[in-house]
Amino acid sequence: MTKIIVANWKMNGSGPFIIEFFKNFSPNSQNRIIFCPPSLYLKDVFFHAPMIGGQDCSPYSSGAYTGDTSAVMVKDAGCQYVIIGHSERRQYHKETSETVRQKAEQALKVGLTPLICIGESKEIRDSGKAIEFVLEQLSQSLPAGTDKTYYIAYEPVWAIGTGLTATEHDIVQMHQAIRQALPTQGTPILYGGSVNKDNAHAILSLPNVDGVLVGGASLKYEDFNHIVAFSEQAMI
Ligand code: 13P
């Protein structure tokens, strides 16, 4: 099955960085390689890579929301995808699952595929209630009654940017619980949180892991080249 590899550049990159990166990285792969740069660089990256995604969109279609970007604007920039509800948005911008759901619905309305992020904090993981918490967050974040495609990304908050990854056992257990809770069979479920060139192959080979959402390692073309190469080996 095709694997989905998403590069979330977060608030990193520059014009010269993009030129240098794509001098050394070719997005040709049998798998789905999606770049999510900061919105102001979407068009620059689209010049080099066929599949791009936004990092966020507004829960509203248009209006007096200074600084925000609507789903249709993300689409107009060439995107087919948009990340919604990343834990950094939930944490630093106080986004609730209700807002995440509204954003996902806006995305679907304009024909974007939302990549809806969910994941527990360290405290919740330590309390033994991670699965319960994540499934609740999932049910509150999902767009209402739709047969359109969306992706889910399980990103444990404590594994993001820390070099810590969930154990293979925990990833398998969580992805299986998410799979069983999803209303539509075949919804892709991605793992994110310190995915790198050393662990990508093992993670991509786990059951119910349809792809990875990569932060830091997607900014280094050598590492990202390795991850994409491993994704091809992990195709089943
Ligand atoms: P890192 O890969 O840097 O841990 O980031 C993960 C992430 O947040 C991707 O969305």
Side-chain angles (χ1 to χ4, degrees):
M1 228 180 81
T2 310
K3 298 283 181 185
I4 301 157
I5 314 296
V6 183
N8 177 9
W9 281 1
K10 310 192 180 185
M11 200 175 72
N12 294 295
S14 66
F17 170 86
I18 292 166
I19 291 168
E20 185 62 18
F21 188 96
F22 286 103
K23 253 194 232 164
N24 295 286
F25 178 86
S26 163
N28 293 328
S29 166
Q30 295 154 341
N31 286 322
R32 196 173 289 260
I33 314 298
I34 304 165
F35 280 90
C36 299
S39 57
L40 287 173
Y41 295 123
L42 281 168
K43 288 198 171 176
D44 301 78
V45 171
F46 193 36
F47 183 76
H48 301 279
M51 277 181 251
I52 58 168
Q55 294 179 8
D56 181 43
C57 73
S58 170
Y60 308 109
S61 54
S62 66
Y65 302 103
T66 302
D68 286 355
T69 307
S70 71
V72 81
M73 293 169 189
V74 173
K75 179 112 197 284
D76 279 351
C79 293
Q80 291 160 266
Y81 303 90
V82 61
I83 297 172
I84 303 282
H86 191 280
S87 66
E88 286 149 16
R89 305 274 332 160
R90 291 181 188 260
Q91 189 181 347
Y92 304 137
H93 298 266
K94 307 279 174 279
E95 283 186 13
T96 63
S97 291
E98 167 69 12
T99 309
V100 171
R101 183 179 62 72
Q102 288 168 350
K103 290 182 172 200
E105 287 172 1
Q106 284 291 334
L108 288 172
K109 210 181 334 176
V110 305
L112 288 168
T113 300
L115 172 50
I116 302 166
C117 301
I118 49 177
E120 82 285 356
S121 65
K122 177 91 172 67
E123 296 71 57
I124 294 169
R125 169 61 55 183
D126 290 346
S127 75
K129 299 213 163 92
I131 292 185
E132 202 178 317
F133 175 88
V134 168
L135 293 188
E136 176 71 12
Q137 204 181 38
L138 175 72
S139 77
Q140 290 172 2
S141 305
L142 286 185
T146 180
D147 54 5
K148 293 187 182 148
T149 302
Y150 50 79
Y151 296 175
I152 301 298
Y154 167 57
E155 294 204 299
V157 178
W158 49 270
I160 295 177
T162 57
L164 302 170
T165 29
T167 63
E168 292 184 10
H169 172 266
D170 288 347
I171 298 174
V172 169
Q173 200 180 35
M174 185 64 83
H175 279 230
Q176 189 182 356
I178 294 170
R179 170 77 65 224
Q180 282 165 355
L182 283 167
T184 315
Q185 263 191 356
T187 298
I189 309 171
L190 282 63
Y191 171 80
S194 296
V195 173
N196 59 41
K197 64 179 171 42
D198 299 320
N199 61 23
H201 183 246
I203 293 172
L204 281 163
S205 306
L206 296 173
N208 287 314
V209 175
D210 301 302
V212 284
L213 180 51
V214 189
S218 72
L219 290 160
K220 301 179 201 138
Y221 55 78
E222 284 152 340
D223 292 18
F224 201 57
N225 267 318
H226 279 297
I227 293 171
V228 169
F230 289 144
S231 73
E232 285 174 5
Q233 290 168 23
M235 280 172 80
I236 301 160

